[in-house]
Amino acid sequence: MTNQQPEIQSNGPSKGGKGYFKAFRSYFSCVPMLGWLAGIIAAVLFERFLGDQISELLGLPKIPVLFGCMIMLKDFSLIPSALAFLVGVYFIPILLVGRALAPVFNGLAGMIYKISPMFSVVLHLALLYLALHLWADLSAYRLMTLKFTLVAVMLTLSLNVINGYMGEFSCSHPGFMALGAYAASVFTLVLFTNDRFFGEALLSPSMGVYFFPVAIILGGFAAALGALVIAIPSFRTRGDYLAIISLAFMFIVKSLIENLEVVGGPRGLGSQPNYASLPMVFGWTVLCIWVINNFVRSTLGKALNAVRDDESAADAMTVNTRRTKMVGFLFGAFWAGAAGGLFAHILRYVNPASFGLQRLAEILAMVYFGGLNSVHGSIVGAVSISLLGEALRPLELFKWIIIPLLLILVMIFRPTGLIAFKEFNVKQLVRPRN
Amino acid sequence: MTVFFQSLVNALQWGSFYALIALGYSMVYGVLMLFNFAHGDVFMVGAYISFIVATALTALAAAGTIAIPGWVVLLLTIVCAMMLNAIVGIIIERVGYRPLREAPRASAAITGLMIGIILETGVLAIMGAQRAKFPSLIQSVTYDVGGVFITNKKIMIVLVSIVLMLALDQFVKKTKWGMAMRAMAFDYTVVPLMGVPANVIAALTFAIGSGLAASAGCLFGVAYPVLDPYMGIVFGWKAFVAAILGGRGSILGATLAGFLLGFIEIFVALIFPSTMRDFIAYSIILLILTFRPHGFFGEPHSARLRL
Amino acid sequence: MPLLEIKDLSIRFGGLQAVKNYNLTMNPGDIRGLIGPNGAGKTTVFNMMTGILTPTEGQVLLNNWSIEGFQPYQIAARGIGRTFQNLCLWRHMTVLEHVKMACYSKITYGLFGAFFGGARRKREETQMTNKAMDLLALVKLDQFADQLVGNLPYGAQRRMEIARALATDPKILLLDEPTAGMNPEELDQIMEIIRLVHGEYKMAILLIEHRLKFVMELCERIQALVFGEVIAEGEPEEIRNHPQVIEAYLGKEIEY
């Protein structure tokens, strides 16, 4: 997730041509992740303390919320000032701090890495969190967007386990998400909230925050249980069978919830307690990425790839194919459920309509845009599609033409997605670059 | 008992929409092994094309001095819409699917999904958000057969669908092109080597599927005159389920499964509260697929998503 | 007690009797050949021995353990390793990952280790990597360990398959036409590897082959299978001169 920012920056001035871009890249290749993070933090701090003045100077109504996209699309005359803001507040500080202090950060990163790579990873995550926190602190909209993006990362990654690593075509992710969202919501609403549906809180509401992870895990297990219902019949045979079974399952879940008056039926379920703070969502996302990445890098997890590429060969090489498929599917479903639980507590309202075909199209788009069989890819896909969705909001209808067109182009030129079939090596990422 | 027969008539009508759309899915799935997720929206585009054609034709008829009977207008509308929508289908194949012929099938499915979204948005942008009112081309006549009300529209819809399905069946079985299609369904890789142009067959498959979807759209407009750009989504996905339920590439299977889906939906709504419709319908489908994993007429095949 | 005992193995596909009353007894360290024209049912025998096909009659005993009712992966884990006639590779995996994957049945770190890592997983993964690298060194592929299999030349892919089969720790190794489509140079390499495996690991090997010369040179005893039935069995020299074998391979001599 951390290598996002620098890529976005380096895209800006790259229009001059490939050679120019290469030179630019090699000039900055010595900057370690630590340097980029420090640069980002510097830029965010810069925006925090001088953002208002700078935007006033440039004639912008306020600090551009989402990298100026909204402002640019709403009022074309403000494009130069928004771009200037972007360059002045983000690009230049990040590049400057990153490049100028590269030797320092390289030394530092090397030192920390020598102590313990794990410690280095944790430190990088802490810095990343700091950067995100500072950035999101500036407006409630940013915070919301950030949280939903993180949830989207979880969803994308978990679907990638099934559609990418395992090579099936599952359409039931919104269903799993709904199961998780409702299970987690009911848990917190019954136990920790005075609610009009479920009455008085059974436990003291002040304890709720500590039990929130339990709610999320419960949501995950609810989804995994649902996945079991699909897995038992569908893994006996092969082919496009799972696609249709999972689609039917998604409709069943949605319709079931619509008919359950206990959880509000089609009107939905609201007023979930405000437990999904940014650290909570960030923590779960990191946990999700870590566990999934762990899994797909182990031989046990790579068995998914073996089953996908040639099932009978996997069978002959002692791989328990049925168990492998089952584990992969339930595992993916678990994280979809967990993401659903978080989603419900971020929005603090869920209704069955939000777990329909549109959600399915969105998650599928993120997975295939980013790239199959790759953790990088899922992160890139989820972040770019989520942010693009928000950034192009002022275009209204045309947003729904631009994003699909973009995806079609990606599919035509890179049929497995932007960054497919690549291993995600965190330790490599935090290494010093010299 | 009258309620039962009344529902039967309704289910026949409802099922013919599903069947006509499912046929398009089934054709593409059978011949090219692709999920054409844009097909539901192709149906919607077909409905809008027929709406435009019908409106134009009625306006023309009103302007002229000779009165053209409504059923002639309707027939013209269906034929025009089918042809125009076939062109839409060919364009979609050319733009969205042909470049992805060698790509993983899942990528093509995603492209289809995205084309669907573009079609929805495009229609919304062109036609506006307010729902379009399909002109009533034929006077509705209701026959009372022993307490069961049958309208001439319903008879017409069911008849037209059945005629189209039979025509398709004959086309695939008897003509040279149909045979090439079946050969391609049998083995995609070999057919081009036999001198059958794969691209032409693919385009033809899409054209036929889209044409059938347009006929469904037109008939839908006759039965339920209000159109909106998102009407294709639910229809499309349900027809997709029906197509798979019928078995890969089976015309008879897709038809029967389409009608079955119509029957299940209507009769479930009759017995249970209508909100339970999807729940029960899909549970039944899940059960059927558990025991007949390859659908009604599908043969077991071990094709997987080519990754 | 023999290592492998196959008694009256038969299979019928509809009306077609693909294999009829196939018998074989092998002791540890035996190296046997199974020859026959295309469609004789050689691969079908392998598929029955590895549990991919269920025989209509007969049984396969490995150390007196009947494979009946077990899944292919269980049979493989018990010690019947195999290669495939047409390469069955996982095209998105590296050579090393292929060989490691075949150690699947020996993984004990379980899902907990897979999800959360830990010392045990690290240890086992390292062990597997070492073992895989040893096997790759045996087939002279260790320098390509990190390549995707698709990047290897055909002969190397074949050798990789042998290493992969060996990684399952088989008691008996089934090689399905290991030299199919190879040039003479690659042929020699394969021959050397098979000799090495046989000599060093004292492994029992059953070989399906088309190239008579290759089988004759390697195997101690040979069976000839024609239309699902063993028509001849014996030492290479006997088989070479067996009239029915000659007939099956060269056709009947037309007598005027």
Side-chain angles (χ1 to χ4, degrees), chain C residues 149-222:
Chain C
V149 273
N151 299 343
L152 295 186
Y154 180 76
Q157 291 179 344
R158 283 254 174 229
R159 279 184 280 147
M160 194 286 299
E161 260 209 329
I162 294 180
R164 183 175 71 171
L166 285 174
T168 62
D169 281 339
K171 298 192 179 78
I172 173 165
L173 183 62
L174 311 181
L175 299 175
D176 199 344
E177 297 202 15
T179 68
M182 282 192 168
N183 61 35
E185 201 179 314
E186 292 170 327
L187 209 68
D188 288 343
Q189 273 181 325
I190 285 281
M191 177 101 75
E192 196 186 322
I193 287 167
I194 294 175
R195 284 224 167 96
L196 202 66
V197 170
H198 181 236
E200 206 154 286
Y201 294 76
K202 295 277 169 278
M203 191 172 292
I205 296 176
L206 179 60
L207 196 74
I208 289 181
E209 230 348 297
H210 258 325
R211 301 182 198 233
L212 288 180
K213 187 166 166 287
F214 187 81
V215 200
M216 301 284 170
E217 225 169 288
L218 270 175
C219 300
E220 296 150 356
R221 282 181 79 79
I222 297 172

